[in-house]
Amino acid sequence: MLDALRQQLTRLQKPAGLAEGPAVLPLDVSAVDDVLGGGLLRGALHEIAAAGEAHLPAATGFTLGLAALAGGNKHLVWIAEDMALAESGVPYGAALEAFGLSPKRLVIVSAAHRHELMAAMEEALHCRAVGVVLGEMRNGPLDAVAVRRLSLAAGDSGALALLLRAQPAHDASTAATRWTVQAAPSAAPGHREFGAPRFAVHLTRNRRGPSASWILEWRNPDDRFVLATHAEPVAAPLRHRPHQKVA
């Protein structure tokens, strides 16, 4: 009965004119989708924060994975603060393709100030050719009114609004979900080889269900998340060597 009620609420929340496609974005990871009520709510704002500055690349990778799942044939608009572009660099085409994103469908916008970034995100959400709007910003509180406007704009358009932050936020927000992401050790296929990227993701706010944590791995070329186990090596126990007593 609970699933039926969730599906009914999802249908009621679907924006007018968007009859095609589901109102949620399934990650195709049942453990995650069950907690999210079927998937990440489309037409909504979601916040993804790095656990710290060192984990910003992991948070970016997780965000790109969500964007790749949601993008379809529509464009991704990536709006970043000048400081973010100066510190992290502009998006790299080969890396985007590793996450199943076509650079041809990417529009990059540089914003001098935070309020300009929020305004540009809202404007981009009004464009029907845009499937995902990603805003990247550094530390600091957000204007609650601007965040509310973003949520409303995402609801009107049906697009996915993703706010990428360098650190976890403690300010009020109307975001449907809030995530904190940190890098997780990957499972290398062989000696001196890189494994698939893994993310320790913590769902800290979920308007449609409980909070939870998982370790997810991004699989390329399948372009999807899978549930992974922690791969950090554990030291073997010391052997019992009574003949090697220390004097």
Side-chain angles (χ1 to χ4, degrees):
M1 178 175 290
L2 185 58
D3 289 341
L5 287 174
R6 283 174 174 167
Q7 292 175 7
Q8 185 176 3
L9 285 174
T10 298
R11 286 194 295 273
L12 291 174
Q13 291 170 342
K14 185 181 294 183
L18 292 178
E20 73 284 357
V24 295
L25 173 67
L27 274 66
D28 287 334
V29 179
S30 59
V32 182
D33 290 339
D34 289 346
V35 171
L36 291 173
L40 203 65
L41 188 64
R42 289 182 182 270
L45 172 68
H46 303 274
E47 291 188 26
I48 300 100
E53 291 281 352
H55 297 283
L56 184 56
T60 304
F62 176 69
T63 307
L64 291 179
L66 296 180
L69 294 177
N73 295 323
K74 293 191 174 183
H75 291 276
L76 163 63
V77 178
W78 190 331
I79 306 166
E81 289 180 314
D82 288 345
M83 183 58 70
L85 292 175
E87 292 180 348
S88 304
V90 296
Y92 181 51
L96 291 173
E97 290 175 340
F99 280 91
L101 292 165
S102 171
K104 295 179 180 179
R105 298 190 179 279
L106 173 66
V107 178
I108 302 175
V109 179
S110 174
H113 304 287
R114 181 159 304 176
H115 66 272
E116 291 183 357
L117 182 146
M118 302 293 281
M121 288 185 69
E122 182 181 344
E123 192 67 24
L125 285 168
H126 292 314
C127 179
R128 296 295 178 182
V130 173
V132 182
V133 177
L134 194 165
E136 180 183 359
M137 60 180 56
R138 288 300 182 259
N139 305 320
L142 294 177
D143 182 346
V145 175
V147 175
R148 176 64 176 165
R149 289 176 62 91
L150 273 186
S151 295
L152 293 174
D156 289 340
S157 68
L160 202 63
L162 304 174
L163 203 53
L164 175 62
R165 309 180 72 165
Q167 290 185 0
H170 303 288
D171 46 10
S173 175
T174 57
T177 64
R178 269 183 161 175
W179 305 74
T180 300
V181 181
Q182 61 189 96
S186 63
H191 185 55
R192 295 183 178 180
E193 294 184 59
F194 292 108
R198 285 185 171 180
F199 316 99
V201 299
H202 310 281
L203 180 60
T204 59
R205 171 189 169 90
N206 179 16
R207 290 175 56 188
R208 305 201 309 155
S211 302
S213 298
W214 306 273
I215 296 179
L216 299 179
E217 178 176 303
W218 181 257
R219 290 282 177 84
N220 179 277
D222 298 339
D223 296 335
R224 64 187 180 94
F225 287 111
V226 298
L227 198 63
T229 56
H230 206 293
E232 187 169 1
V234 178
L238 293 175
R239 294 182 178 178
H240 180 57
R241 294 169 175 166
H243 61 287
Q244 294 180 352
K245 292 183 179 179
V246 177

